[in-house]
């Protein structure tokens, strides 16, 4: 994710290194926030808050953990706080589809529906299951990195992922049958 030398330079007070570091992790931070919160504006707010916290707390990072794990913990905690405080909202974002001769329109439509169903199913998971799913399958974290990021025992992470997969499978089967819609 980020070169360790860049982190060390940022911690040593090199402002350019710190800005470069923040730019390198910006899209990763936003992507994580978006997948957890599933709302563009909330994700922007959370990622901005996370980047600010990283900027001000860079000296508290210790090399005991991977830098990406440290960043992930910050982002996830901010998102969880926002999620707890948030009132239920309905997203009205619509995705533009480009119809050109080069694309298989039917495939694009079906892929769009599948992605929407998966996103809705993930949104229906309990908060703790959603976090581990996002980190494992959308951010490609190992079980150990998830455990470290969320400050959970490794077996708890495995248990959460197992239960989350079962719930997702059940929800997606219901979507397939046409029984559940967000």
């Amino acid at each position: 994710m980020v070169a360790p030398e860049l982190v060390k330079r940022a911690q040593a007070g090199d402002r350019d290194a710190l800005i470069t570091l923040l730019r390198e992790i910006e899209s990763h931070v936003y992507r994580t926030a978006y997948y957890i919160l599933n709302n563009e504006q909330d994700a922007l707010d959370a990622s901005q808050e996370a980047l600010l916290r990283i900027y001000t707390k860079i000296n508290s990072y210790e090399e005991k953990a991977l830098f990406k794990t440290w960043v992930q913990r910050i982002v996830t905690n901010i998102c969880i706080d926002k999620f707890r405080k948030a009132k239920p909202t309905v997203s009205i974002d619509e995705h533009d589809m480009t119809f050109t001769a080069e694309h298989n329109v039917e495939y694009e439509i079906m892929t769009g529906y599948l992605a929407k169903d998966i996103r809705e199913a993930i949104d229906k998971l309990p908060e703790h299951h959603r976090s581990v799913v996002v980190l494992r399958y959308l951010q490609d974290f190992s079980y150990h990195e998830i455990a470290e990021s969320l400050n959970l025992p490794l077996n708890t992470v495995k248990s959460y992922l197992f239960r989350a997969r079962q719930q997702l499978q059940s929800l997606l089967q219901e979507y397939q049958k046409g029984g559940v819609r967000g």
Side-chain angles (χ1 to χ4, degrees):
M1 181 176 164
V2 173
E5 304 82 42
L6 186 61
V7 176
K8 287 179 183 175
R9 287 187 12 232
Q11 286 183 306
D14 183 338
R15 189 170 187 273
D16 292 335
L18 182 56
I19 290 170
T20 301
L21 176 70
L22 293 172
R23 284 189 178 136
E24 283 189 22
I25 64 172
E26 183 177 28
S27 65
H28 171 76
V29 167
Y30 172 77
R31 190 170 51 245
T32 298
Y34 183 80
Y35 281 121
I36 292 173
L37 299 170
N38 196 30
N39 177 295
E40 186 176 347
Q41 191 58 51
D42 290 344
L44 286 169
D45 291 345
S47 59
Q48 220 173 22
E49 187 176 333
L51 290 170
L52 182 61
R53 190 166 301 164
I54 292 163
Y55 178 85
T56 59
K57 303 282 186 186
I58 189 71
N59 289 326
S60 69
Y61 166 68
E62 298 174 1
E63 292 183 33
K64 290 186 248 176
L66 291 173
F67 183 72
K68 80 173 191 175
T69 305
W70 182 75
V71 167
Q72 195 63 47
R73 181 178 291 162
I74 290 171
V75 176
T76 303
N77 287 340
I78 288 171
C79 289
I80 288 170
D81 288 347
K82 285 194 171 299
F83 184 74
R84 286 181 181 147
K85 294 175 188 173
K87 296 176 183 160
T89 59
V90 176
S91 174
I92 56 171
D93 293 336
E94 292 297 324
H95 299 285
D96 294 330
M97 255 188 222
T98 306
F99 296 98
T100 66
E102 296 174 10
H103 295 101
N104 179 334
V105 175
E106 182 179 347
Y107 174 79
E108 286 188 16
I109 290 171
M110 293 310 293
T111 302
Y113 281 127
L114 179 59
K116 183 176 184 279
D117 287 350
I118 291 170
R119 191 171 51 249
E120 286 177 3
I122 290 171
D123 285 346
K124 290 182 186 280
L125 293 174
E127 173 187 316
H128 54 283
H129 289 171
R130 182 181 321 133
S131 296
V132 295
V133 165
V134 166
L135 294 177
R136 178 71 181 133
Y137 298 109
L138 302 176
Q139 297 297 338
D140 202 28
F141 271 46
S142 70
Y143 291 158
H144 292 286
E145 290 171 332
I146 296 169
E148 199 171 312
S149 291
L150 299 177
N151 200 24
L152 294 171
L154 182 60
N155 285 335
T156 302
V157 169
K158 290 178 182 180
S159 173
Y160 284 178
L161 279 169
F162 177 78
R163 289 188 189 123
R165 282 191 297 262
Q166 287 180 320
Q167 291 171 321
L168 285 172
Q169 184 177 16
S170 175
L171 285 167
L172 291 171
Q173 285 172 347
E174 289 179 35
Y175 285 144
Q176 194 174 27
K177 292 176 188 173
V180 175
R181 285 288 174 221

